[in-house]
Coordinates of all heavy atoms in Angstrom, one line a residue:
M1 N 125.3 141.4 98.8 CA 124.7 142.6 99.7 C 123.5 142.1 100.2 O 122.5 141.9 99.5 CB 124.7 143.7 98.7 CG 125.8 144.5 98.4 SD 126.1 145.9 99.6 CE 124.5 146.9 99.4
S2 N 123.3 142.2 101.5 CA 122.0 142.1 102.1 C 121.7 143.3 103.0 O 122.6 143.8 103.6 CB 121.9 140.8 102.9 OG 122.8 140.8 104.0
D3 N 120.4 143.7 103.0 CA 120.1 144.9 103.8 C 120.2 144.4 105.3 O 120.0 143.3 105.6 CB 118.6 145.2 103.5 CG 118.4 145.4 102.1 OD1 118.2 144.3 101.4 OD2 118.1 146.5 101.7
V4 N 120.5 145.4 106.1 CA 120.4 145.1 107.5 C 119.0 145.2 107.9 O 118.3 146.0 107.6 CB 121.2 146.3 108.3 CG1 121.0 146.1 109.7 CG2 122.6 146.4 107.8
R5 N 118.6 144.1 108.6 CA 117.2 144.0 109.0 C 117.1 144.5 110.4 O 117.9 144.0 111.3 CB 116.7 142.5 109.0 CG 116.5 141.9 107.5 CD 115.2 142.5 106.9 NE 114.0 142.2 107.8 CZ 113.4 141.0 107.9 NH1 113.7 140.1 107.0 NH2 112.4 140.9 108.7
L6 N 116.2 145.4 110.7 CA 116.1 146.0 112.0 C 114.8 145.5 112.6 O 113.8 145.3 111.9 CB 116.0 147.5 112.0 CG 117.3 148.2 111.4 CD1 117.1 149.7 111.3 CD2 118.5 147.8 112.1
C7 N 114.9 145.4 114.0 CA 113.6 145.0 114.7 C 112.5 146.1 114.5 O 112.9 147.4 114.7 CB 114.0 144.9 116.2 SG 112.5 144.8 117.3
P8 N 111.3 145.8 114.1 CA 110.4 146.8 113.7 C 109.8 147.6 115.0 O 109.2 148.6 114.9 CB 109.2 146.1 113.1 CG 109.5 144.7 113.5 CD 110.8 144.5 113.8
I9 N 110.1 147.1 116.2 CA 109.7 147.7 117.5 C 110.8 148.6 118.0 O 110.5 149.8 118.3 CB 109.4 146.7 118.6 CG1 108.4 145.6 118.0 CG2 108.9 147.3 119.9 CD1 107.0 145.9 118.3
C10 N 112.0 148.2 118.1 CA 113.1 149.0 118.8 C 114.2 149.3 117.9 O 115.2 150.0 118.4 CB 113.6 148.2 120.0 SG 114.5 146.7 119.6
D11 N 114.2 148.9 116.6 CA 115.3 149.3 115.6 C 116.6 148.7 115.9 O 117.7 149.2 115.4 CB 115.4 150.8 115.5 CG 114.2 151.5 114.8 OD1 113.6 150.7 114.0 OD2 114.1 152.7 114.8
T12 N 116.7 147.6 116.7 CA 117.9 146.9 116.9 C 118.2 146.1 115.7 O 117.3 145.5 115.2 CB 117.8 146.0 118.2 OG1 117.5 146.9 119.3 CG2 119.2 145.3 118.5
D13 N 119.4 146.0 115.4 CA 119.9 145.0 114.4 C 119.6 143.6 114.6 O 120.0 143.1 115.7 CB 121.4 145.2 114.2 CG 121.9 144.4 113.0 OD1 121.2 143.6 112.4 OD2 123.1 144.6 112.5
L14 N 118.7 143.0 113.8 CA 118.2 141.7 114.1 C 119.2 140.6 114.2 O 119.0 139.5 114.7 CB 117.1 141.2 113.1 CG 115.8 141.8 113.3 CD1 114.9 141.3 112.2 CD2 115.2 141.3 114.7
T15 N 120.4 140.9 113.5 CA 121.4 139.9 113.5 C 122.0 139.7 114.9 O 122.8 138.7 115.0 CB 122.6 140.1 112.5 OG1 123.0 141.5 112.7 CG2 122.0 140.1 111.1
Y16 N 121.8 140.5 115.8 CA 122.2 140.3 117.1 C 121.4 139.1 117.8 O 121.8 138.4 118.7 CB 122.0 141.5 118.1 CG 123.0 142.6 117.8 CD1 122.5 143.9 117.6 CD2 124.3 142.3 117.8 CE1 123.4 144.9 117.3 CE2 125.2 143.4 117.5 CZ 124.8 144.6 117.2 OH 125.6 145.7 117.0
S17 N 120.1 138.9 117.2 CA 119.3 137.9 117.8 C 119.2 136.7 116.9 O 118.9 135.5 117.4 CB 117.8 138.5 118.0 OG 117.8 139.5 118.9
Y18 N 119.3 136.9 115.6 CA 119.0 135.7 114.6 C 120.1 135.8 113.6 O 120.6 136.9 113.3 CB 117.6 135.9 114.0 CG 116.5 135.9 115.0 CD1 116.0 137.1 115.4 CD2 116.0 134.7 115.5 CE1 114.9 137.1 116.3 CE2 115.0 134.6 116.3 CZ 114.4 135.9 116.8 OH 113.4 135.8 117.7
D19 N 120.3 134.7 112.9 CA 121.2 135.0 111.8 C 120.4 135.5 110.6 O 119.2 135.4 110.4 CB 122.0 133.6 111.5 CG 121.3 132.5 110.7 OD1 120.7 132.9 109.7 OD2 121.4 131.4 111.2
A20 N 121.2 136.3 109.8 CA 120.6 137.0 108.7 C 119.7 136.2 107.8 O 118.6 136.7 107.4 CB 121.7 137.7 107.9
E21 N 120.1 135.1 107.3 CA 119.3 134.3 106.5 C 118.0 133.8 107.2 O 116.9 133.8 106.5 CB 120.1 133.0 106.2 CG 120.5 132.9 104.7 CD 121.4 131.7 104.5 OE1 120.9 130.6 104.3 OE2 122.7 131.9 104.5
F22 N 118.0 133.5 108.4 CA 116.8 133.1 109.2 C 115.9 134.3 109.1 O 114.7 134.2 108.9 CB 117.2 132.7 110.6 CG 116.1 132.3 111.4 CD1 115.7 131.0 111.4 CD2 115.4 133.2 112.2 CE1 114.6 130.6 112.3 CE2 114.3 132.8 113.0 CZ 114.0 131.5 113.0
A23 N 116.4 135.5 109.5 CA 115.5 136.8 109.5 C 114.9 137.0 108.3 O 113.8 137.5 108.2 CB 116.3 137.9 110.0
E24 N 115.5 136.7 107.1 CA 115.0 136.9 105.8 C 113.7 136.3 105.7 O 112.7 136.7 104.8 CB 115.9 136.3 104.7 CG 117.1 137.1 104.3 CD 116.7 138.4 103.6 OE1 116.2 138.3 102.5 OE2 117.0 139.4 104.2
N25 N 113.4 135.1 106.2 CA 112.2 134.3 106.0 C 111.0 134.7 106.8 O 109.9 134.3 106.6 CB 112.5 132.9 106.5 CG 113.5 132.2 105.5 OD1 113.4 132.4 104.3 ND2 114.3 131.4 106.1
Y26 N 111.2 135.7 107.7 CA 110.1 136.1 108.5 C 109.8 137.6 108.5 O 110.5 138.4 109.1 CB 110.3 135.7 110.0 CG 110.4 134.2 110.2 CD1 111.7 133.6 110.1 CD2 109.2 133.5 110.3 CE1 111.7 132.2 110.2 CE2 109.4 132.0 110.4 CZ 110.6 131.5 110.3 OH 110.6 130.1 110.4
P27 N 108.8 138.0 107.7 CA 108.4 139.5 107.7 C 108.1 140.0 109.0 O 107.2 139.4 109.8 CB 107.3 139.4 106.7 CG 106.6 138.0 106.8 CD 107.8 137.1 107.1
G28 N 108.7 141.1 109.4 CA 108.2 141.8 110.7 C 108.8 141.0 111.9 O 108.4 141.3 113.1
L29 N 109.8 140.2 111.7 CA 110.4 139.5 112.8 C 110.9 140.6 113.9 O 111.5 141.5 113.6 CB 111.6 138.8 112.4 CG 112.3 137.8 113.3 CD1 111.5 136.7 113.8 CD2 113.7 137.3 112.7
V30 N 110.6 140.2 115.2 CA 111.1 141.2 116.2 C 112.3 140.6 116.9 O 112.5 139.3 116.9 CB 110.0 141.4 117.3 CG1 108.8 142.0 116.6 CG2 109.7 140.3 118.2
C31 N 113.1 141.3 117.5 CA 114.3 140.9 118.3 C 113.9 140.1 119.6 O 112.8 140.3 120.0 CB 115.3 142.0 118.6 SG 114.7 143.1 119.9
R32 N 114.8 139.5 120.2 CA 114.5 138.7 121.4 C 114.2 139.6 122.5 O 113.3 139.2 123.3 CB 115.6 137.8 121.6 CG 115.9 136.7 120.6 CD 116.7 135.5 121.2 NE 117.1 134.6 120.2 CZ 116.3 133.6 119.6 NH1 115.0 133.5 119.9 NH2 116.8 132.8 118.7
N33 N 114.7 140.7 122.6 CA 114.5 141.6 123.6 C 112.9 142.0 123.7 O 112.3 142.0 124.7 CB 115.2 142.9 123.4 CG 116.1 143.2 124.7 OD1 116.1 142.4 125.7 ND2 116.9 144.2 124.6
C34 N 112.4 142.4 122.5 CA 111.1 142.8 122.4 C 110.2 141.6 122.5 O 109.1 141.7 123.2 CB 110.8 143.5 121.0 SG 111.6 145.1 120.8
D35 N 110.6 140.5 122.0 CA 109.8 139.2 122.1 C 109.6 138.9 123.6 O 108.4 138.5 123.9 CB 110.6 138.1 121.5 CG 109.9 136.8 121.4 OD1 108.8 136.8 121.0 OD2 110.5 135.8 122.0
E36 N 110.5 139.2 124.5 CA 110.3 138.9 125.9 C 109.2 139.9 126.5 O 108.7 139.5 127.6 CB 111.6 139.0 126.7 CG 112.4 137.8 126.4 CD 113.7 137.8 127.1 OE1 114.0 138.9 127.9 OE2 114.7 137.0 126.7
K37 N 108.9 140.9 125.9 CA 107.9 141.9 126.4 C 106.6 141.6 126.0 O 105.6 142.2 126.4 CB 108.3 143.3 126.0 CG 109.5 143.8 126.5 CD 109.7 145.4 126.3 CE 110.0 145.7 124.8 NZ 110.2 147.1 124.6
A38 N 106.4 140.5 125.2 CA 105.1 140.2 124.6 C 104.1 139.9 125.7 O 104.5 139.2 126.6 CB 105.3 139.1 123.6
V39 N 102.9 140.3 125.5 CA 101.8 139.8 126.4 C 100.6 139.3 125.5 O 100.5 139.7 124.3 CB 101.2 141.0 127.2 CG1 102.3 141.4 128.2 CG2 100.7 142.2 126.4
N40 N 99.6 138.5 126.1 CA 98.5 138.1 125.4 C 97.3 139.1 125.5 O 97.6 140.2 126.0 CB 98.2 136.7 125.9 CG 97.7 136.7 127.4 OD1 97.4 137.8 127.9 ND2 97.6 135.5 128.1
T41 N 96.2 138.8 125.0 CA 95.0 139.6 125.0 C 94.7 140.1 126.4 O 94.0 141.1 126.5 CB 93.8 139.0 124.3 OG1 93.6 137.8 124.8 CG2 94.1 138.9 122.8
E42 N 95.0 139.4 127.4 CA 94.7 139.6 128.8 C 95.9 140.5 129.6 O 95.9 140.8 130.6 CB 94.4 138.4 129.6 CG 93.0 138.1 129.5 CD 92.8 136.6 129.3 OE1 93.6 135.7 130.1 OE2 91.9 136.1 128.6
G43 N 97.0 140.7 128.7 CA 98.1 141.5 129.3 C 99.1 140.7 130.1 O 99.8 141.2 130.9
Q44 N 98.9 139.4 129.9 CA 99.8 138.4 130.6 C 100.8 137.8 129.7 O 100.6 137.8 128.5 CB 99.0 137.3 131.3 CG 98.1 137.9 132.4 CD 97.1 137.0 132.9 OE1 96.7 136.0 132.2 NE2 96.6 137.1 134.0
T45 N 101.9 137.2 130.3 CA 102.8 136.6 129.4 C 102.2 135.3 128.6 O 101.5 134.5 129.3 CB 104.0 135.9 130.3 OG1 104.5 137.0 131.0 CG2 105.1 135.3 129.4
P46 N 102.3 135.4 127.3 CA 101.7 134.3 126.6 C 102.2 132.8 126.9 O 103.4 132.7 127.2 CB 102.1 134.5 125.1 CG 102.5 136.0 125.1 CD 103.2 136.2 126.5
K47 N 101.3 131.9 127.0 CA 101.7 130.5 127.4 C 102.3 129.9 126.2 O 101.9 130.2 125.0 CB 100.5 129.8 127.9 CG 99.9 130.3 129.1 CD 98.8 129.3 129.6 CE 98.0 130.1 130.7 NZ 97.1 131.2 130.2
E48 N 103.3 129.1 126.4 CA 103.9 128.3 125.4 C 103.1 127.0 125.1 O 102.8 126.3 126.1 CB 105.3 128.0 125.8 CG 106.3 129.1 126.0 CD 106.7 129.7 124.7 OE1 106.8 129.0 123.6 OE2 107.0 130.9 124.7
H49 N 102.7 126.8 123.9 CA 102.2 125.4 123.6 C 103.1 124.8 122.5 O 102.9 125.1 121.3 CB 100.7 125.7 123.1 CG 99.8 126.3 124.0 ND1 99.1 125.5 124.9 CD2 99.4 127.5 124.2 CE1 98.4 126.3 125.7 NE2 98.5 127.5 125.3
P50 N 103.9 123.9 122.9 CA 104.8 123.3 121.9 C 104.2 122.5 120.8 O 104.7 122.4 119.7 CB 105.7 122.3 122.8 CG 105.5 122.8 124.2 CD 104.0 123.4 124.3
D51 N 103.0 122.1 121.0 CA 102.3 121.3 120.0 C 101.6 122.1 118.9 O 101.1 121.5 117.9 CB 101.5 120.2 120.6 CG 102.2 119.3 121.4 OD1 103.4 119.1 121.1 OD2 101.6 118.8 122.4
D52 N 101.3 123.4 119.2 CA 100.6 124.2 118.2 C 101.2 125.6 118.3 O 102.3 125.8 118.7 CB 99.1 124.2 118.5 CG 98.8 124.7 119.9 OD1 99.5 125.6 120.3 OD2 97.8 124.2 120.4
D53 N 100.5 126.6 117.8 CA 101.0 127.9 117.7 C 100.8 128.7 118.9 O 101.2 129.9 119.0 CB 100.4 128.6 116.5 CG 101.1 128.1 115.1 OD1 102.2 127.6 115.2 OD2 100.4 128.0 114.1
G54 N 100.3 128.1 119.9 CA 100.1 128.8 121.2 C 99.1 130.0 121.1 O 98.2 129.9 120.3
E55 N 99.3 130.9 122.0 CA 98.3 132.1 122.1 C 98.7 133.1 121.0 O 99.8 133.6 120.9 CB 98.5 132.7 123.4 CG 98.0 131.9 124.6 CD 97.8 132.6 125.8 OE1 96.8 133.4 125.7 OE2 98.5 132.4 126.7
N56 N 97.7 133.4 120.2 CA 97.9 134.4 119.1 C 96.5 135.2 119.0 O 95.4 134.6 119.2 CB 98.1 133.8 117.7 CG 99.6 133.5 117.5 OD1 100.3 134.5 117.6 ND2 100.0 132.3 117.3
P57 N 96.5 136.5 118.8 CA 97.7 137.3 118.6 C 98.3 137.6 119.9 O 97.6 137.4 120.9 CB 97.2 138.5 117.9 CG 95.8 138.6 118.2 CD 95.3 137.2 118.4
I58 N 99.5 138.2 119.9 CA 100.1 138.8 121.1 C 100.4 140.2 120.9 O 100.2 140.7 119.7 CB 101.3 137.9 121.5 CG1 102.3 138.0 120.4 CG2 100.9 136.6 121.9 CD1 103.7 137.5 120.9
F59 N 100.8 140.9 121.8 CA 101.0 142.4 121.7 C 102.4 142.7 122.4 O 102.7 142.3 123.5 CB 99.9 143.0 122.4 CG 98.5 142.7 121.7 CD1 97.8 141.8 122.3 CD2 98.1 143.5 120.7 CE1 96.6 141.4 121.7 CE2 96.9 143.2 120.0 CZ 96.2 142.1 120.6
I60 N 103.0 143.7 121.6 CA 104.4 144.1 122.2 C 104.2 145.7 122.1 O 104.1 146.2 121.0 CB 105.6 143.7 121.4 CG1 105.7 142.1 121.5 CG2 106.8 144.4 122.0 CD1 106.8 141.7 120.5
D61 N 104.3 146.4 123.2 CA 104.0 147.8 123.2 C 102.7 148.2 122.4 O 102.7 149.1 121.6 CB 105.2 148.5 122.5 CG 106.5 148.4 123.4 OD1 106.4 148.1 124.6 OD2 107.6 148.9 122.9
S62 N 101.7 147.4 122.7 CA 100.4 147.6 122.0 C 100.4 147.3 120.5 O 99.3 147.6 120.0 CB 99.8 149.0 122.3 OG 99.7 149.3 123.7
Q63 N 101.4 146.8 120.0 CA 101.4 146.4 118.5 C 101.1 145.0 118.4 O 101.7 144.1 119.0 CB 102.8 146.7 118.0 CG 103.0 146.2 116.6 CD 102.1 146.9 115.5 OE1 102.2 148.1 115.4 NE2 101.4 146.1 114.8
Q64 N 100.1 144.7 117.6 CA 99.7 143.3 117.4 C 100.8 142.5 116.7 O 101.4 143.0 115.8 CB 98.3 143.2 116.5 CG 98.0 141.8 116.2 CD 96.6 141.7 115.7 OE1 95.7 142.1 116.4 NE2 96.4 141.2 114.5
C65 N 101.0 141.3 117.2 CA 102.1 140.4 116.6 C 101.5 139.0 116.6 O 100.6 138.7 117.3 CB 103.3 140.4 117.5 SG 104.0 142.0 117.8
W66 N 102.1 138.2 115.7 CA 101.8 136.8 115.6 C 103.0 135.9 116.0 O 104.1 136.3 115.6 CB 101.4 136.4 114.2 CG 100.1 137.2 113.9 CD1 100.0 138.3 113.2 CD2 98.7 136.8 114.2 NE1 98.7 138.7 113.1 CE2 97.9 137.8 113.6 CE3 98.2 135.7 114.9 CZ2 96.5 137.7 113.8 CZ3 96.8 135.6 115.0 CH2 96.0 136.6 114.5
R67 N 102.7 134.8 116.7 CA 103.9 134.1 117.2 C 103.8 132.7 116.5 O 102.8 132.1 116.6 CB 103.9 134.0 118.6 CG 105.1 133.2 119.2 CD 105.0 133.5 120.7 NE 105.8 134.6 121.1 CZ 106.0 135.0 122.4 NH1 105.5 134.2 123.4 NH2 106.7 136.1 122.7
R68 N 104.9 132.1 116.0 CA 104.9 130.8 115.4 C 105.9 130.0 116.3 O 107.0 130.5 116.6 CB 105.5 130.7 114.0 CG 104.6 131.3 113.0 CD 103.2 130.5 112.9 NE 103.4 129.1 112.9 CZ 103.4 128.3 111.7 NH1 103.3 128.9 110.6 NH2 103.6 127.1 111.8
H69 N 105.5 128.9 116.7 CA 106.4 128.0 117.4 C 107.0 126.9 116.6 O 106.3 126.3 115.8 CB 105.6 127.2 118.6 CG 105.1 128.2 119.6 ND1 105.5 128.3 120.8 CD2 104.2 129.2 119.5 CE1 105.0 129.2 121.5 NE2 104.1 129.8 120.7
R70 N 108.3 126.8 116.7 CA 109.0 125.9 115.9 C 110.4 125.7 116.5 O 111.0 126.5 117.1 CB 109.0 126.3 114.4 CG 109.6 127.7 114.3 CD 109.5 128.2 112.8 NE 110.4 127.2 112.1 CZ 110.4 127.2 110.7 NH1 109.7 128.0 110.0 NH2 111.1 126.3 110.1
F71 N 111.0 124.6 116.0 CA 112.3 124.4 116.4 C 112.6 124.4 117.9 O 113.5 124.8 118.5 CB 113.4 125.3 115.8 CG 113.3 125.3 114.3 CD1 113.3 126.5 113.7 CD2 113.2 124.2 113.5 CE1 113.2 126.6 112.3 CE2 113.1 124.2 112.1 CZ 113.2 125.4 111.5
G72 N 111.6 124.0 118.7 CA 111.6 124.1 120.1 C 111.6 125.5 120.7 O 111.8 125.7 121.9
G73 N 111.4 126.4 119.8 CA 111.3 127.8 120.3 C 110.3 128.5 119.6 O 109.2 127.9 119.2
H74 N 110.4 129.8 119.4 CA 109.3 130.5 118.6 C 109.8 131.7 118.0 O 110.9 132.2 118.3 CB 108.1 130.8 119.6 CG 108.4 131.8 120.6 ND1 108.6 131.4 122.0 CD2 108.8 133.1 120.7 CE1 108.9 132.4 122.7 NE2 109.1 133.4 121.9
V75 N 109.2 132.3 117.0 CA 109.5 133.5 116.4 C 108.3 134.5 116.5 O 107.1 133.9 116.5 CB 110.0 133.5 114.9 CG1 111.3 132.6 114.8 CG2 108.9 132.7 114.1
T76 N 108.5 135.7 116.7 CA 107.4 136.7 116.8 C 107.5 137.7 115.7 O 108.6 138.2 115.5 CB 107.4 137.3 118.2 OG1 107.3 136.3 119.2 CG2 106.3 138.2 118.4
M77 N 106.4 138.0 115.0 CA 106.3 138.8 113.9 C 105.4 140.0 114.1 O 104.1 139.7 114.5 CB 106.0 138.1 112.6 CG 107.0 137.1 112.2 SD 106.6 135.9 111.0 CE 105.6 134.8 112.2
V78 N 105.7 141.2 113.8 CA 104.8 142.3 114.0 C 103.8 142.3 112.8 O 104.2 142.0 111.7 CB 105.6 143.7 113.9 CG1 104.7 144.8 113.6 CG2 106.3 143.9 115.2
D79 N 102.6 142.6 113.1 CA 101.5 142.7 112.1 C 101.1 144.1 111.9 O 100.3 144.7 112.8 CB 100.3 141.8 112.6 CG 99.1 142.0 111.7 OD1 99.3 142.6 110.6 OD2 98.0 141.5 112.0
P80 N 101.6 144.7 110.8 CA 101.3 146.3 110.7 C 99.8 146.4 110.3 O 99.3 147.5 110.3 CB 102.2 146.7 109.6 CG 102.5 145.4 108.8 CD 102.4 144.3 109.8
D81 N 99.1 145.3 109.8 CA 97.7 145.5 109.3 C 96.6 145.0 110.3 O 95.4 145.0 109.9 CB 97.6 144.6 108.0 CG 98.6 144.9 107.0 OD1 98.8 146.1 106.6 OD2 99.3 144.0 106.5
N82 N 97.0 144.6 111.5 CA 96.1 144.2 112.5 C 95.2 143.1 111.9 O 93.9 143.2 112.0 CB 95.3 145.3 113.1 CG 96.2 146.2 114.0 OD1 97.0 145.6 114.8 ND2 96.0 147.5 113.9
C83 N 95.6 142.0 111.3 CA 94.8 141.0 110.7 C 94.1 140.3 111.7 O 94.3 140.2 112.9 CB 95.8 140.0 110.0 SG 96.7 140.7 108.6
G84 N 93.1 139.5 111.2 CA 92.2 138.7 112.1 C 92.7 137.4 112.4 O 92.2 136.7 113.4
S85 N 93.6 136.9 111.7 CA 94.2 135.6 112.0 C 95.5 135.5 111.3 O 96.0 136.3 110.6 CB 93.3 134.5 111.3 OG 93.4 134.5 109.8
L86 N 96.2 134.4 111.9 CA 97.6 134.2 111.3 C 97.6 134.0 109.9 O 98.5 134.3 109.2 CB 98.2 133.0 112.1 CG 99.7 132.6 111.8 CD1 100.6 133.7 112.2 CD2 100.0 131.4 112.6
Q87 N 96.6 133.2 109.3 CA 96.6 132.9 107.9 C 96.4 134.2 107.0 O 97.1 134.4 106.1 CB 95.4 132.0 107.6 CG 95.4 131.4 106.3 CD 96.8 130.7 105.9 OE1 97.1 129.9 106.7 NE2 97.4 131.2 104.9
E88 N 95.5 135.1 107.7 CA 95.3 136.4 106.9 C 96.7 137.1 106.9 O 97.0 137.7 105.9 CB 94.3 137.1 107.7 CG 93.9 138.5 106.8 CD 92.9 139.3 107.6 OE1 92.2 138.8 108.6 OE2 92.8 140.5 107.3
F89 N 97.3 137.1 108.0 CA 98.6 137.8 108.1 C 99.6 137.2 107.1 O 100.3 138.0 106.3 CB 99.2 137.6 109.5 CG 100.7 138.0 109.7 CD1 101.0 139.4 109.6 CD2 101.7 137.2 110.0 CE1 102.3 139.9 109.8 CE2 102.9 137.6 110.0 CZ 103.3 138.9 110.0
Y90 N 99.7 135.9 107.0 CA 100.6 135.3 106.0 C 100.3 135.6 104.5 O 101.0 135.9 103.7 CB 100.6 133.8 106.1 CG 101.6 133.3 107.2 CD1 101.1 132.3 108.0 CD2 102.9 133.8 107.2 CE1 102.0 131.9 109.0 CE2 103.7 133.4 108.2 CZ 103.3 132.4 109.0 OH 104.1 131.9 110.0
D91 N 99.0 135.6 104.3 CA 98.5 136.0 103.0 C 98.9 137.4 102.5 O 99.3 137.6 101.4 CB 96.9 135.8 102.9 CG 96.5 134.4 102.9 OD1 97.3 133.5 102.8 OD2 95.3 134.1 103.1
R92 N 98.7 138.3 103.5 CA 99.1 139.7 103.2 C 100.6 139.8 103.0 O 101.0 140.5 102.1 CB 98.6 140.6 104.4 CG 97.2 140.7 104.4 CD 96.8 142.0 105.3 NE 95.4 142.0 105.5 CZ 94.8 143.2 105.3 NH1 95.3 144.2 104.9 NH2 93.4 143.1 105.5
Q93 N 101.3 139.2 103.8 CA 102.8 139.3 103.7 C 103.3 138.7 102.4 O 104.1 139.2 101.7 CB 103.5 138.6 104.9 CG 103.3 139.2 106.2 CD 103.7 140.7 106.2 OE1 104.5 141.1 105.6 NE2 103.0 141.4 107.1
S94 N 102.6 137.6 101.9 CA 103.2 137.0 100.7 C 102.7 137.8 99.4 O 103.4 137.8 98.5 CB 102.6 135.5 100.6 OG 101.3 135.5 100.6
H95 N 101.6 138.5 99.6 CA 101.3 139.5 98.5 C 102.1 140.7 98.4 O 102.1 141.5 97.3 CB 99.7 140.0 98.6 CG 98.9 138.6 98.4 ND1 97.6 138.6 98.8 CD2 99.1 137.5 97.8 CE1 97.1 137.4 98.5 NE2 98.0 136.7 97.9
R96 N 102.8 141.0 99.5 CA 103.5 142.2 99.6 C 104.8 142.2 98.8 O 105.3 143.2 98.2 CB 103.9 142.5 101.0 CG 104.5 143.8 101.4 CD 104.3 144.2 102.8 NE 102.8 144.6 103.0 CZ 102.3 144.7 104.3 NH1 103.0 144.4 105.3 NH2 101.0 145.0 104.3
T97 N 105.4 141.1 98.7 CA 106.7 141.0 98.1 C 106.7 140.8 96.5 O 105.6 140.4 96.1 CB 107.5 139.7 98.6 OG1 106.7 138.5 98.6 CG2 108.1 140.0 99.9
Ligands
LIG101 ZN1 113.4 144.8 119.3

């Protein structure tokens, strides 16, 4: 039994975008649809930086998110605590479980 994981922004079933096991590993993971709406702090499409984590934080519907680049793509996670850095976000998420 695994819970259905929903996109925290639009409530779409995340398994339409990612496989369930993958989604398990990322707290606050957003679906690909919402991911495409992401903007940087200047309101523009975030630039991709394949060698590092790119522009962070980013925003989807004014909600702060953090983006990790990996496997030639990226994942975007909602930050409900408005953390000051990606590391702080991770620390909070790992204490939550
Ligand atoms: Zn979504």
Side-chain angles (χ1 to χ4, degrees):
M1 277 269 302
S2 65
D3 310 74
V4 177
R5 289 282 308 274
L6 301 178
C7 171
I9 307 265
C10 70
D11 287 340
T12 301
D13 186 343
L14 277 178
T15 54
Y16 291 128
S17 297
Y18 301 98
D19 79 50
E21 247 172 81
F22 183 86
E24 283 292 300
N25 294 322
Y26 296 97
L29 186 68
V30 307
C31 74
R32 292 203 192 280
N33 237 359
C34 290
D35 184 50
E36 283 177 12
K37 295 193 289 186
V39 295
N40 63 16
T41 49
E42 276 141 33
Q44 295 164 339
T45 304
K47 293 184 193 69
E48 297 282 335
H49 295 278
D51 296 331
D52 61 32
D53 287 329
E55 294 194 67
N56 272 306
I58 57 167
F59 300 88
I60 301 171
D61 292 347
S62 303
Q63 171 65 57
Q64 178 168 297
C65 304
W66 298 94
R67 184 172 273 184
R68 287 303 310 267
H69 292 253
R70 52 180 305 170
F71 306 132
H74 62 252
V75 294
T76 303
M77 293 160 285
V78 163
D79 174 11
D81 304 310
N82 291 317
C83 297
S85 70
L86 182 61
Q87 190 56 54
E88 187 186 341
F89 171 66
Y90 275 133
D91 289 348
R92 287 197 188 229
Q93 295 301 332
S94 57
H95 294 158
R96 184 157 292 166
T97 45

